Amino acid sequence: MHNTNGSPDPFVYVDPPTLALGKVPVQPGYGQSPYAQPPVPPVPPGPPVVPAPQAGADQVAPSSEDGQSTPTAAPSTASTGRNGLIMALGSLASRALGFVRSAMIVAALTTGPLGDSFNVANSLPNIVYMMLIGGALASVFVPELVHAAQTHQDGGVAYTDRLLTLCGVLLVVLTLGAWLAAPAIVDLYSHYDGAQRDLTIAFARYCLPQIFFYGVFTLLGQVLNSRDRFGAMMWTPVLNNVVAIAVFGLYMVIGGNAKDAGSMTPGMTMLLGLGSTLGIVVQALGLLPSLRSARFRFRPRFDWKGAGLTRPLRSASWALLLVLVTQLAFAVITRVSTSAGQQAHDAGLKMGLGNFAYTNAYQLFVVPQGVITISLVTALLPGMSRAATAGDLTKIGSDLSEMLRNSAAMIVTAAVLFFALAPQITAVAYGYGSSSAADTWVIAQVLMAFALGLPAFCAQYALARGFYAMGDARTPFWLTVVTTGSNAGLSCLAYLLLTPRWIIIGMAVAHTTACVLSIVITGWALGRRLRTPAPVHPDATLDLSGRRPAPRSGLDGGRVVALHLALAAACAPGALAAHWLATRFGATLFGSLAGLAVGSLAVLLSLFLFAIPLGAGASVAPLARKLRIPYPAPAVTAGKHRR
């Protein structure tokens, strides 16, 4: 027995082991990280070594010979939480301005064919960006940069320069190819013809260069993340939204009142297209002060041969294949949604039942993931990569499990608010300009269908980062094939079976179904990968029964699922009250704001009242602290705690 500080407890008798067991070395094989180091030979007895001071998470380590800073030590738990909060605040600010930007686009271009043309043209660079920042290259390069920083004599400086140079060349080729293929891309994503097709192609010519600047932003952001500097990458998108808001505001001020594709002038098209791309350029340039503060100096290096770039390129190839598969699925969904909108228009349905409603509801749906899940997982990824380098796979699972439990209250509450108060949320976000009450009601219905899959959507994103931390980009690719394939297939099924009024809602249900299927498969695959034999302590006694400790993954999936269900049950009474109260305030903008405020309070009150009786108080306490609400700490149960 030991005290909490690790010293022996003098009041407890310790029975010495009857037969000490030697430590069993970990055998290489299935589930072991490719970064795991070989066993270190024993060090001869000698004087104790005093460790040198290490740089903290917010300090810059000594510079290398090339003038760049070497990586800092692993951040503490407090630093990880602080980094997650900084990123969450930046993402929240960016998302808030993103809604203003979306409202400006709706007011300027309406929810009809004109808005669809701009949305389709701007979708390819945006989706590529979401894949780059949300999982593909972002999750591939952080483990590689961390590993190089820990194992290379120069702290990974030359390796980083070579990797950035090579990726920059590939980005130029990709962007140029996309720009030349703009007509084919437009035809892939839509079924437009005549003036609307020409307008969409013109928009695409101006928007597709965003791919290069999104890629530069992503790569430089990963350099900062690998050095435990997370804030800039989450805050600089604010600059992009400010530029976009200014551009669409200028468009409306100078007389941009086109109602269809034929009335759009080349000057109006250039203003909106180039203005959107300018925002991405400013976003990428916004990282330069943080890079300078981190003492990072990029020097192009083309000596790629024999530089150890094979592994990251192999992982990046899987990541780019993941982007390709996602784009193919997105193309199917876009064509289906635009066709559904055209069918609704031909049937005389006076509401937005096409791609614009699906896209705007999705933008609301992904806010909790961007603000909460991405921020927390991004802060965890360097530490999980270090654990993979050390071969400690169970720590990866336990870190992910802890993150999912800590964020569960916020994610489940957001899902409940989306479902109960969707009409009020969409009215506040999009009820401006040419948008009608019928248009926002359709977006609300799509959002309600999306909301059911929000916890699974966020959890799947987090668990996939576990594979990337171990240098495995192939497994997430095949998991994405299952997810996107099922989403696209079920969306096509909805298009074939449902009437034009319900196709878009059916597509949102298809997305939710795909999310649930994906989290089941991802959780099973990651648990199997992380499950390694528990190490035998040298002081352990021999178990005469012959039983060995069961392998652990650290994910504790049953506990995480039970916690989410308990939180949903705690929010349910408040959700019913919130829906009833919100409808009493009317459908005006003021009424929607009042209903949203009162309904949110009802859901939070229900959560705080019923969480402790349902055993979910420990997850709710951090949320209460963030909201500055006094909340009793859950009682510690007696007996053996689950680790």
Side-chain angles (χ1 to χ4, degrees), residues 78-336:
S79 298
T80 301
R82 182 172 64 253
N83 290 331
L85 178 60
I86 292 173
M87 287 187 291
L89 292 175
S91 182
L92 185 61
S94 176
R95 299 282 179 169
L97 285 176
F99 290 134
V100 178
R101 174 182 179 271
S102 297
M104 294 287 289
I105 295 176
V106 171
L109 301 179
T110 75
T111 60
L114 197 59
D116 277 352
S117 289
F118 178 82
N119 188 64
V120 169
N122 204 39
S123 290
L124 178 63
N126 283 334
I127 291 298
V128 169
Y129 164 70
M130 284 191 289
M131 294 308 303
L132 290 174
I133 184 63
L137 296 184
S139 298
V140 166
F141 287 148
V142 167
E144 294 295 339
L145 295 176
V146 169
H147 179 64
Q150 289 183 305
T151 57
H152 292 193
Q153 291 184 353
D154 65 346
V157 172
Y159 182 87
T160 301
D161 288 340
R162 294 186 184 101
L163 189 59
L164 292 181
T165 304
L166 178 58
C167 291
V169 172
L170 294 176
L171 279 173
V172 170
V173 174
L174 175 63
T175 304
L176 181 60
W179 189 86
L180 294 174
I185 292 174
V186 169
D187 292 338
L188 176 66
Y189 279 76
S190 68
H191 61 284
Y192 298 146
D193 55 12
Q196 189 168 5
R197 179 178 181 272
D198 294 338
L199 175 63
T200 308
I201 293 174
F203 274 139
R205 297 282 195 194
Y206 291 120
C207 293
L208 285 172
Q210 296 175 19
I211 294 175
F212 173 78
F213 296 103
Y214 271 139
V216 170
F217 171 75
T218 302
L219 293 172
L220 295 180
Q222 301 325 302
V223 174
L224 290 172
N225 287 350
S226 67
R227 299 171 182 226
D228 297 313
R229 292 172 176 263
F230 304 96
M233 199 172 186
M234 292 298 178
W235 279 96
T236 48
V238 170
L239 302 175
N240 172 29
N241 286 323
V242 169
V243 172
I245 291 169
V247 166
F248 281 92
L250 178 62
Y251 169 80
M252 290 188 289
V253 168
I254 64 176
N257 55 0
K259 300 301 181 184
D260 53 50
S263 57
M264 282 288 290
T265 66
M268 295 178 182
T269 306
M270 183 176 65
L271 172 63
L272 298 181
L274 280 184
S276 299
T277 299
L278 177 63
I280 312 305
V281 176
V282 173
Q283 174 178 300
L285 294 177
L287 294 179
L288 295 182
S290 295
L291 290 166
R292 189 177 301 111
S293 175
R295 300 183 185 178
F296 173 74
R297 300 291 183 270
F298 171 63
R299 298 177 181 177
R301 300 190 60 153
F302 296 90
D303 51 337
W304 302 332
K305 186 175 181 180
L309 298 178
T310 303
R311 184 172 62 194
L313 288 180
R314 185 183 300 114
S315 298
S317 65
W318 285 106
L320 293 175
L321 283 174
L322 184 147
V323 174
L324 177 61
V325 169
T326 304
Q327 284 297 300
L328 292 175
F330 179 75
V332 172
I333 291 173
T334 303
R335 286 187 65 91
V336 171

Side-chain angles (χ1 to χ4, degrees), residues 119 123 330 337 354-364 430 450:
N119 188 64
S123 290
F330 179 75
S337 60
N355 178 261
F356 208 78
Y358 188 94
T359 301
N360 281 281
Y362 189 83
Q363 288 179 353
L364 287 167
Y430 303 120
F450 276 141

